[in-house]
Amino acid sequence: VLHFTAEPSRVVAFSVMHNRFPANMNISNRRGMFEAMSKGVAGTEGRLLSESKTELHGLEGREWKFEEESSLTTIRAYLVRHDLYQAICVVPKGQPCPRHTQQFLDSFDLKGGSEQ
């Protein structure tokens, strides 16, 4: 797992993550993989607000928005072969900044092809 986070303040965080699944893991059921991620994305303390399909260079992905006690989190995830890439934005629940969240998520890009 690779995980990079920038925290411009104590209550805001921007992260990117990369997970590689084992080569022998069956990932042919992409919809099922995303559904499983959807169930776990908010954890035990969060409440899922929305889920939508997203696309990046023809790659199918998902975007989830959920809230916890004091924060709003938005995650975009893309499954490329056996690699899972995620862009994550956490902002205070009382002071959401949709513009910065959108700018960060839209800045995420994958280089090196779009094979699924």
Side-chain angles (χ1 to χ4, degrees):
V1 176
L2 292 174
H3 185 198
F4 300 97
T5 300
E7 295 180 3
S9 75
R10 293 181 338 151
V11 293
V12 175
F14 300 100
S15 299
V16 291
M17 291 182 66
H18 170 241
N19 300 71
R20 176 163 288 156
F21 297 117
N24 63 348
M25 183 176 172
N26 182 357
I27 60 162
S28 62
N29 183 0
R30 302 175 87 64
R31 176 178 283 164
M33 297 270 302
F34 283 126
E35 286 175 6
M37 285 184 241
S38 169
K39 291 176 182 167
V41 75
T44 58
E45 302 295 318
R47 181 174 72 90
L48 186 64
L49 299 174
S50 68
E51 177 179 2
S52 58
K53 289 183 179 182
T54 187
E55 188 176 294
L56 181 64
H57 305 303
L59 298 168
E60 180 183 0
R62 293 293 186 278
E63 180 175 296
W64 297 284
K65 294 180 183 179
F66 65 94
E67 68 178 1
E68 294 180 287
E69 184 177 324
S70 61
S71 64
L72 294 172
T73 301
T74 305
I75 299 174
R76 282 191 190 163
Y78 302 93
L79 187 58
V80 183
R81 293 174 297 279
H82 283 80
D83 296 294
L84 174 65
Y85 298 94
Q86 298 176 76
I88 305 162
C89 183
V90 181
V91 296
K93 189 174 174 180
Q95 301 173 345
C97 186
R99 190 184 95 219
H100 287 115
T101 298
Q102 196 68 36
Q103 283 177 334
F104 171 71
L105 294 173
D106 288 346
S107 73
F108 183 76
D109 199 3
L110 294 170
K111 303 291 182 190
S114 61
E115 293 180 29
Q116 291 193 29

